[in-house]
Amino acid sequence: MGNDGGSIPDRRDLVKNKPKAEQADKANQIRALWFFCALSKRALQEPVVSCALGKLYNKDALIEYLLDKSAYGDGEEICGHIRSLKDVKTLKLTPRSPPPSPGSDVAKFVCPLNLKEMNGAYPFVYIHTCGCVFSQSGLRTVIGSTPTSKSLSNDEDSGVVNEQLDVCPQCATKFSRTTDVITVNPSKEEEERMQTVMELRRSREPVKSKSKKRKANAEGAVEDKSAVAKKMKESTNNSHSPSPALVINPAVAAGSKALASSLLAEEAKRKAGMSDAVKSLYRSKFDKPKKETFTTMGTFTRVSP
Ligand SMILES: [Zn+2]
């Protein structure tokens, strides 16, 4: 009654096929995370680096991105949180033996402790101080999942957090199990937690020394391509006087910051090496209205041949 059967094959098809499609999709996502560079989407190839969020990247792709933030379309979205190579760790991975044939679905890397394959089926971690990569279960087996009894008894009486460092089972580097064990390809929830930890740690970073700051400012004048382009657009729209960033050749701005800063350094050197005659030329030509300040006097005295 009512169940005439007409719709039953359709429903069965849906029930059967939808989970299959979802499964295939999930398998592809896992492959993408564990076998491929999160940035270039190329197969992971050593040297492999990882960030504070446990993503895996080919180091060459990441360097490419740091030199040119537009090298990958969605680069900013994927690794906008990576400011320099200091924000990533080169991983010490254990290759599977024998190595899988190219393009196969077998993991390239394994846990050195229990040989579990790094294929997304098991949680993996890396140690931030040395970069060694282990399966979570392998590392737990070796270092234990609770703090050592010694540190526990110490802490209970004094109330002081006096954490005892663990030792990497592969290379003996010391690490803290509470802050130095980074989950590789974490779940969404864990990634959010890791993001919070990263932001908290960065907010506590000491301000860089003065010389570094000055260098950063010099680099900041170059900025990245998009920012310069934006400024150019703004200045043409508003016909402002050109900002310092525009004085620099756009071709230089488009290049790497490293290149730009080395050019700036060269320019400074060149100026420093100028003869007094040239200097006076410069002065008469450009500095006429300005009085020589104490700083410039000092500079010229110091560098005069
Ligand atoms: Zn290690």
Side-chain angles (χ1 to χ4, degrees):
M1 273 182 142
N3 280 340
D4 64 357
S7 66
I8 288 173
D10 288 339
R11 274 192 62 216
R12 200 170 51 199
D13 280 349
L14 278 174
V15 170
K16 245 187 184 173
N17 290 338
K18 208 178 165 196
K20 235 184 209 169
E22 270 173 11
Q23 263 171 20
D25 196 42
K26 196 156 183 234
N28 278 335
Q29 281 175 16
I30 289 172
R31 265 173 55 82
L33 283 174
W34 291 85
F35 291 6
F36 294 89
C37 167
L39 180 61
S40 68
K41 324 292 186 208
R42 289 186 209 113
L44 283 175
Q45 191 88 46
E46 286 194 275
V48 172
V49 297
S50 187
C51 60
L53 305 180
K55 306 278 172 62
L56 303 173
Y57 315 92
N58 285 337
K59 191 173 188 177
D60 57 354
L62 190 75
I63 290 172
E64 216 181 317
Y65 161 78
L66 289 172
L67 291 175
D68 176 6
K69 297 276 167 86
S70 62
Y72 296 94
D74 52 356
E76 200 69 27
E77 206 177 302
I78 296 164
C79 26
H81 62 290
I82 301 175
R83 303 162 299 180
S84 73
L85 279 181
K86 281 180 190 158
D87 284 341
V88 296
K89 188 76 196 174
T90 301
L91 299 181
K92 287 180 197 149
L93 292 155
T94 306
R96 183 182 190 276
S97 172
S101 50
S104 79
D105 266 356
V106 178
K108 253 187 196 169
F109 308 107
V110 297
C111 171
L113 301 172
N114 60 15
L115 301 183
K116 281 204 158 119
E117 297 199 352
M118 205 171 154
N119 58 9
Y122 317 97
F124 266 71
V125 296
Y126 76 90
I127 295 177
H128 183 252
T129 50
C130 59
C132 290
V133 180
F134 304 104
S135 66
Q136 196 178 61
S137 59
L139 186 62
R140 265 193 198 148
T141 308
V142 174
I143 68 169
S145 53
T146 50
T148 57
S149 54
K150 199 178 160 193
S151 65
L152 259 182
S153 59
N154 276 352
D155 293 346
E156 257 172 358
D157 290 343
S158 59
V160 175
V161 182
N162 185 19
E163 196 196 5
Q164 218 173 334
L165 292 178
D166 288 288
V167 171
C168 171
Q170 184 164 247
C171 73
T173 301
K174 284 187 176 167
F175 70 97
S176 154
R177 67 175 68 198
T178 52
T179 56
D180 292 331
V181 179
I182 314 285
T183 304
V184 175
N185 289 323
S187 66
K188 196 93 204 123
E189 297 76 41
E190 185 157 19
E191 187 183 330
E192 277 166 22
R193 191 184 58 76
M194 288 159 79
Q195 175 117 26
T196 313
V197 171
M198 178 186 80
E199 280 160 11
L200 195 70
R201 200 179 53 234
R202 287 187 182 180
S203 71
R204 287 185 193 147
E205 272 176 9
V207 179
K208 295 279 173 347
S209 69
K210 266 194 174 172
S211 64
K212 270 189 181 166
K213 216 175 174 183
R214 223 176 285 147
K215 198 183 154 220
N217 284 345
E219 284 178 356
V222 180
E223 297 179 25
D224 63 316
K225 219 198 266 177
S226 56
V228 171
K230 205 177 151 200
K231 270 200 182 144
M232 268 184 189
K233 214 175 151 195
E234 271 169 17
S235 74
T236 44
N237 285 348
N238 308 334
S239 65
H240 277 326
S241 59
S243 67
L246 294 176
V247 178
I248 291 156
N249 184 341
V252 174
S256 72
K257 282 189 181 180
L259 175 67
S261 68
S262 78
L263 285 174
L264 287 173
E266 257 182 56
E267 172 71 1
K269 233 188 265 169
R270 191 183 62 80
K271 276 188 182 157
M274 282 188 306
S275 72
D276 282 345
V278 177
K279 267 182 231 160
S280 66
L281 253 176
Y282 257 79
R283 234 173 291 162
S284 57
K285 205 172 173 187
F286 298 112
D287 295 344
K288 220 179 221 164
K290 274 187 220 153
K291 250 192 159 180
E292 205 172 59
T293 64
F294 178 74
T295 13
T296 55
M297 271 170 72
T299 312
F300 284 132
T301 316
R302 200 168 59 242
V303 298
S304 62

